[in-house]
């Protein structure tokens, strides 16, 4: 069976199991977030909320709304690096020394297993139960991303899928395949003052891993299968990786594409420098922000180009977690609950074009207006088939192996065949330990 079908089939089975488990539980309705006020003491408490750089203003507006509803809780906003890997490492240092300097933090959906195991996150089950917080009105994938060993360590704030952004003043027919992308990027580069045909994330970091995962998946390749077997050494993965390298080494991407993360992509994109760009959902927001963007009104979104097996996106997203060493777990929970609630997520969607995990928000007219994608049924469908990264407490190690070996292909230091052999050996050794 082609790999992509396996991924989809596994996904469907997974969802089915989750659904059955969810149905067997006792789920009350989500509490109104105002209810938290009633138990509030008069004492004023300040909690620190840490998130990666947010260029959209969504975080600030969420904090403002939260503080209005919970006047006894002040939220101090701590900005962390934009790079998820750098954020991760700072938290590991912080929580590794049992620091209580941060109370609530945004966790990447790849962190829950590791942070649960390392005892960095506070279990949320007792809070969820006490407040009858309803998990059922969220998509399953992001809820499951916060669940490890049958317990909930995080609640989703928004989910991410990637898209091909394109300039509607240059083309009406965005490329459907990687080969068409290469052709059109070469041909259209230079039109309407653009300098580049295409932008993506080629820097050696987690974002590059997501670019890699989706391009290999579009050719039918994957890293680890559902039984934890390393399956990376396949003709499909080699083909996808070769395509990735061909693009990275082309003349239609910036010469320093191997330094590009999401922020560099966004800056060059809104400056009007490129015809096409790969980025997450949120770039809808800055693309159409007239105050910041040179290309407002001239941007639309298409699925990520397809390989031999179809188009895929990596599944991304962020969850709210509580530092196990927080001195204010109750107040921290109120913030987590707010951020994950329909109300909190709606703010994120309106201000930051963040894709909600609360399914009903896609029918909300204000949300639909905020991001053209949110009213598009194929977008919502796309979110539900996005390809997850391997779920493992040693995910950082897995990612680092991929980062190093794939980077050496993008720079031309080794072939795709050599890289998959190296990754296979190193991943097997890491998983065996
Ligand atoms: C986005 C995704 C996150 C991913 C990161 C990679 O923030 O939401 O899941 O790890 O990009 O840069």
């Amino acid at each position: 069976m082609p790999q992509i079908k396996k991924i989809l089939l596994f996904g469907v089975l997974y969802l089915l199991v989750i659904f059955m488990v969810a149905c067997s539980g006792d789920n009350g309705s989500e509490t109104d977030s105002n209810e938290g006020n009633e138990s509030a003491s008069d004492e004023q408490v300040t909690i620190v909320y840490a998130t990666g750089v947010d260029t959209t203003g969504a975080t600030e507006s969420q904090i403002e709304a939260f503080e209005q509803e919970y006047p006894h809780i002040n939220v101090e906003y701590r900005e962390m690096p934009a790079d998820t890997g750098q954020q991760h490492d700072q938290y590991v240092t912080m929580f590794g020394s049992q620091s209580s300097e941060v109370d609530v933090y945004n966790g990447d959906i790849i962190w829950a297993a590791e942070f649960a195991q390392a005892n960095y996150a506070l279990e949320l089950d007792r809070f969820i139960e006490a407040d009858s917080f309803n998990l059922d009105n969220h998509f399953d994938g992001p809820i499951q991303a916060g669940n490890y060993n049958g317990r909930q360590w995080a609640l989703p704030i928004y989910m991410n899928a990637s898209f091909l952004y394109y300039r509607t003043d240059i083309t009406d027919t965005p490329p459907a395949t990687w080969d068409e992308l290469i052709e059109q990027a070469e041909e259209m580069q230079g039109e309407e003052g653009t300098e580049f045909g295409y932008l993506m994330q080629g820097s050696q970091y987690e974002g590059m891993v997501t670019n890699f995962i989706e391009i290999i998946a579009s050719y039918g390749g994957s890293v680890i299968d559902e039984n934890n077997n390393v399956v990376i050494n396949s003709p499909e993965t080699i083909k996808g990786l070769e395509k990735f390298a061909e693009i990275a080494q082309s003349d239609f991407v910036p010469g320093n594409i191997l330094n590009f993360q999401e922020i560099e992509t966004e800056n060059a994109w809104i400056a009007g420098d490129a015809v096409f760009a790969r980025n997450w959902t949120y770039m809808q927001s800055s693309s159409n922000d007239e105050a910041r963007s040179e290309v407002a009104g001239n941007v639309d979104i298409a699925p990520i180009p397809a390989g031999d097996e179809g188009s895929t996106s990596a599944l991304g997203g962020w969850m709210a977690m509580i530092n196990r060493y927080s001195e204010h777990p109750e107040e921290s929970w109120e913030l987590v609950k707010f951020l994950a609630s329909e109300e909190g997520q709606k703010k994120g969607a309106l201000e930051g074009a963040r894709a909600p995990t609360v399914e009903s928000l896609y029918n909300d007219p204000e949300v639909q207006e905020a991001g053209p994608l949110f009213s598009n049924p194929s977008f919502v469908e796309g979110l539900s088939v996005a390809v997850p990264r391997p779920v493992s407490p040693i995910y950082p190690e897995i990612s680092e192996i991929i980062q190093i070996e794939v980077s050496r292909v993008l720079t031309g230091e080794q072939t795709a065949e050599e890289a998959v052999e190296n990754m296979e050996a190193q991943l097997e050794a890491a998983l065996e330990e």
Side-chain angles (χ1 to χ4, degrees):
M1 190 184 324
Q3 205 60 33
I4 196 123
K5 286 213 188 111
K6 273 195 208 156
I7 294 171
L8 288 177
L9 181 65
F10 177 58
V12 169
L13 290 175
Y14 190 62
L15 291 179
L16 199 67
V17 171
I18 308 298
F19 179 67
M20 287 178 343
V21 170
C23 288
S24 65
D26 172 25
N27 291 289
S29 63
E30 188 165 326
T31 33
D32 179 336
S33 40
N34 271 318
E35 255 172 52
N37 289 337
E38 287 155 24
S39 62
S41 67
D42 294 336
E43 199 194 333
Q44 200 69 24
V45 172
T46 297
I47 56 175
V48 176
Y49 173 37
T51 84
V53 173
D54 172 10
T55 56
T56 69
T59 307
E60 270 145 23
S61 103
Q62 284 169 325
I63 293 175
E64 207 176 292
F66 174 78
E67 286 181 332
Q68 255 170 28
E69 278 174 37
Y70 293 82
H72 70 294
I73 309 177
N74 298 324
V75 179
E76 201 178 286
Y77 173 30
R78 161 103 49 114
E79 191 173 78
M80 302 291 282
D83 177 343
T84 170
Q86 285 177 20
Q87 282 181 63
H88 169 273
D89 295 351
Q90 289 193 15
Y91 290 129
V92 168
T93 306
M94 224 185 260
F95 305 147
S97 63
Q98 311 199 346
S99 163
S100 59
E101 66 192 283
V102 157
D103 297 287
V104 177
Y105 56 100
N106 279 12
D108 198 331
I109 63 164
I110 48 187
W111 295 354
E114 179 201 3
F115 278 30
Q117 184 124 322
N119 227 354
Y120 296 158
L122 193 64
E123 272 176 65
L124 303 179
D125 301 77
R126 71 183 161 98
F127 298 114
I128 292 172
E129 221 166 278
D131 278 355
S132 305
F133 185 88
N134 187 11
L135 302 177
D136 274 357
N137 59 359
H138 294 257
F139 287 117
D140 291 316
I143 291 287
Q144 283 315 305
N147 193 291
Y148 181 66
N149 273 349
R151 296 192 224 145
Q152 203 68 33
W153 305 88
L155 288 183
I157 308 177
Y158 63 99
M159 61 204 287
N160 256 331
S162 61
F163 291 89
L164 184 73
Y165 286 76
Y166 68 96
R167 289 276 298 276
T168 51
D169 52 340
I170 300 180
T171 179
D172 306 326
T173 47
T177 65
W178 291 108
D179 291 328
E180 284 174 27
L181 171 82
I182 291 171
E183 208 175 290
Q184 292 190 20
E186 267 164 5
E187 194 185 292
M188 295 173 188
Q189 161 178 33
E191 285 183 33
E192 298 294 333
T194 52
E195 220 179 309
F196 312 112
Y198 181 55
L199 308 169
M200 47 83 172
Q201 296 78 46
S203 169
Q204 186 174 317
Y205 81 120
E206 183 60 31
M208 185 271 274
V209 174
T210 60
N211 282 247
F212 166 73
I213 298 260
E214 65 201 18
I215 200 167
I216 64 166
S218 76
Y219 285 93
S222 72
V223 177
I224 294 174
D225 72 7
E226 56 274 28
N227 300 318
N228 241 4
N229 298 313
V230 176
V231 291
I232 198 164
N233 190 354
S234 70
E236 292 82 11
T237 300
I238 292 171
K239 197 163 179 195
L241 181 49
E242 281 171 346
K243 200 55 72 182
F244 193 19
E246 181 183 342
I247 293 169
Q249 291 163 11
S250 73
D251 292 333
F252 57 76
V253 298
N256 61 343
I257 192 75
L258 300 188
N259 294 331
F260 264 57
Q261 302 193 355
E262 287 89 354
I263 289 244
E264 288 75 21
T265 307
E266 182 185 11
N267 288 340
W269 178 253
I270 63 178
D273 290 347
V275 186
F276 303 110
R278 180 258 180 220
N279 209 344
W280 305 104
T281 328
Y282 79 93
M283 202 168 74
Q284 288 179 93
S285 167
S286 43
S287 292
N288 290 316
D289 177 350
E290 282 180 4
R292 290 181 64 206
S293 171
E294 301 288 328
V295 292
N298 291 327
V299 176
D300 208 343
I301 299 181
I304 291 290
D308 299 340
E309 287 288 339
S311 161
T312 54
S313 152
L315 177 65
W318 288 83
M319 318 176 293
M321 304 175 85
I322 301 177
N323 175 5
R324 149 137 344 235
Y325 307 104
S326 164
E327 283 157 16
H328 307 291
E330 301 292 334
E331 290 79 8
S332 295
W333 162 248
E334 299 299 352
L335 179 59
V336 167
K337 186 173 72 175
F338 176 83
L339 293 167
S341 72
E342 188 166 337
E343 186 191 356
Q345 292 206 3
K346 183 168 172 178
K347 285 250 171 275
L350 297 187
E351 301 290 329
R354 292 174 169 179
T357 66
V358 175
E359 221 172 324
S360 59
L361 280 173
Y362 291 93
N363 300 323
D364 181 309
E366 279 178 278
V367 170
Q368 293 187 342
E369 203 180 309
L373 274 179
F374 295 151
S375 53
N376 181 340
S378 52
F379 169 74
V380 183
E381 205 180 296
L383 284 178
S384 55
V385 297
V387 189
R389 282 160 278 173
V391 175
S392 164
I394 62 153
Y395 182 76
E397 218 175 310
I398 295 173
S399 172
E400 187 164 329
I401 292 168
I402 298 175
Q403 289 178 34
I404 293 171
E405 296 300 329
V406 171
S407 288
R408 296 185 59 216
V409 178
L410 302 185
T411 55
E413 284 164 78
Q414 67 178 350
T415 64
E417 279 96 345
E418 287 165 338
V420 297
E421 273 173 28
N422 292 341
M423 288 192 276
E424 180 179 42
Q426 292 171 39
L427 289 169
E428 278 172 355
L431 288 173
E432 230 158 73
E433 265 171 29

